[in-house]
Amino acid sequence: MKKNNIPRKQTSSTASIVSIEHLSKSFGHKKVLSDISFTLEEPAIYALLGRNGSGKTTLLNLLTCRYFPDHGKIQIFGEEPYDNIPVLSDICYMRDHLVGFSELRLKRILSYAKTFYPNWDDTMMNRCLSLFHLNEKEIYSNLSKGMQSAVSITIGLSARTRLTLFDEIHTGLDASIRQDFYKLLLEDYMEHPRTFVLSTHLIDEMENLFSHVLMLKDNQLILQESLESIQEKSFELTSNTTFPPFVMEKHILSSSEFLSTKKLLIFDTLTAFEKQQLQKKNITISHLSLQELFITLTKEETR
């Protein structure tokens, strides 16, 4: 029986917008990222997933040169990003709040952003202002938490950069406004394809946005695959009898038993023939959601 040995999908670097090789970062004695390697393709919408403290924000800060790696190599658009203004001006990294702009009016903040991002789109800016009911005359510090998140979204979408990084950008937004944001992001992505990386804990809510998934655990990248590939091999099998031998050779994530009911979560392919064999034995086959897979893969070991 194979457990927790998740095969990674290797992607070609020929169309990569970001290339990370053996990246490591520590703060003092605390290792945050350890020997991370991956590529981001263009265009795509990536989910960046991990429990609190898994290194998501550190990784985004490394991509934007706010931090420097202890080891490893970062290339963006085929170049090293450090002190590289053309590269950095085509990356937009937004969190749920802005630092250093507390006493400025929103109109001044957007004016500053417009001068930094050469592909700035006023039409998108005005669309966001209307959608989120933002008043340009408001002082930033007077805005609610949700409205401050909306400002970050406005800048991130209006910048139209080749690489856009959103770190828990939806904090403070109510459910209805979040849905408006997801719809707007997807529409803009379809009209102006580019690469987004979305760090989030709202996995079920945002799953339909993602084309690819990056997942971090214990300082390491444990999964990098397309969402389509993940969905094709994430299964829950439920049975009141013994599982056939071929199932026990799959990559089994977890197993449990309650009374006479046995349950297996697997991350592997099932052929049409194998599915027929399971159905003949009255074994129920269902797909795991991305959130269910995330919870299973990142669950802390019981000590």
Side-chain angles (χ1 to χ4, degrees):
M1 182 188 300
K2 304 175 185 177
K3 282 196 175 185
N4 296 326
N5 181 19
I6 306 302
R8 296 184 192 172
K9 180 181 178 182
Q10 299 298 320
T11 56
S12 168
S13 62
T14 56
S16 64
I17 188 171
V18 173
S19 177
I20 303 292
E21 297 179 9
H22 306 293
L23 187 68
S24 296
K25 180 64 179 176
S26 298
F27 296 100
H29 297 294
K30 180 177 175 59
K31 185 172 287 293
V32 182
L33 295 172
S34 178
D35 198 25
I36 301 291
S37 297
F38 66 86
T39 59
L40 302 184
E41 307 303 319
E42 181 182 47
I45 302 179
Y46 284 84
L48 178 59
L49 308 179
R51 297 167 72 95
N52 289 335
S54 62
K56 301 187 300 297
T57 296
T58 297
L59 177 58
L60 297 178
N61 278 311
L62 285 164
L63 289 175
T64 50
C65 301
R66 288 170 171 82
Y67 298 155
F68 294 91
D70 299 330
H71 304 284
K73 181 179 180 181
I74 299 175
Q75 283 201 322
I76 301 179
F77 316 139
E79 303 179 36
E80 291 203 359
Y82 312 107
D83 295 323
N84 191 331
I85 297 300
V87 168
L88 293 175
S89 63
D90 217 1
I91 306 171
C92 184
Y93 172 34
M94 301 305 300
R95 302 186 66 179
D96 60 354
H97 65 280
L98 304 177
V99 177
F101 296 92
S102 297
E103 302 310 315
L104 295 183
R105 297 188 187 278
L106 178 54
K107 184 174 183 178
R108 177 67 64 86
I109 293 172
L110 295 175
S111 177
Y112 284 151
K114 183 175 180 178
T115 62
F116 186 78
Y117 297 110
N119 294 322
W120 184 270
D121 188 273
D122 279 335
T123 300
M124 174 55 70
M125 178 190 72
N126 290 325
R127 189 175 177 186
C128 288
L129 291 174
S130 175
L131 177 66
F132 300 124
H133 306 290
L134 290 169
N135 184 347
E136 290 185 278
K137 296 180 180 180
E138 282 281 1
I139 295 175
Y140 184 78
S141 60
N142 292 339
L143 297 175
S144 68
K145 182 71 172 176
M147 291 297 98
Q148 290 183 358
S149 294
V151 173
S152 295
I153 291 170
T154 300
I155 295 173
L157 293 180
S158 303
R160 287 269 165 80
T161 50
R162 193 173 169 189
L163 176 62
T164 303
L165 313 172
F166 282 155
D167 189 2
E168 298 288 349
I169 196 72
H170 41 61
T171 303
L173 296 178
D174 63 42
S176 175
I177 296 297
R178 289 200 305 271
Q179 292 300 321
D180 290 338
F181 162 50
Y182 305 152
K183 181 180 178 182
L184 181 61
L185 186 151
L186 194 56
E187 288 177 356
D188 193 50
Y189 171 76
M190 298 300 291
E191 293 176 8
H192 304 274
R194 52 202 192 274
T195 299
F196 287 88
V197 179
L198 308 177
S199 169
T200 182
H201 289 291
L202 301 178
I203 302 172
D204 263 353
E205 191 172 289
M206 299 179 69
E207 182 172 348
N208 290 337
L209 289 175
F210 307 137
S211 57
H212 295 74
V213 176
L214 299 169
M215 195 178 296
L216 295 170
K217 180 187 178 184
D218 296 336
N219 315 321
Q220 296 184 327
L221 182 69
I222 63 169
L223 184 65
Q224 181 197 0
E225 293 209 34
S226 70
L227 182 61
E228 181 180 11
S229 174
I230 290 171
Q231 291 170 335
E232 288 174 351
K233 56 186 181 182
S234 301
F235 296 101
E236 177 182 285
L237 306 181
T238 306
S239 175
N240 291 320
T241 184
T242 305
F243 290 102
F246 72 82
V247 170
M248 308 314 292
E249 294 302 314
K250 301 293 183 180
H251 287 89
I252 297 176
L253 302 177
S254 70
S255 61
S256 60
E257 185 172 351
F258 181 72
L259 300 178
S260 61
T261 301
K262 303 177 181 68
K263 182 185 295 184
L264 290 181
L265 303 185
I266 69 171
F267 190 72
D268 213 328
T269 55
L270 288 173
T271 66
F273 176 76
E274 289 172 335
K275 290 179 181 179
Q276 289 176 356
Q277 296 303 304
L278 293 172
Q279 290 166 353
K280 285 180 180 179
K281 291 175 69 70
N282 294 319
I283 295 175
T284 303
I285 308 170
S286 57
H287 283 277
L288 291 176
S289 69
L290 180 59
Q291 178 158 300
E292 290 170 325
L293 180 65
F294 168 76
I295 291 171
T296 303
L297 290 180
T298 62
K299 186 177 295 183
E300 296 293 336
E301 298 293 334
T302 301
R303 290 183 174 86

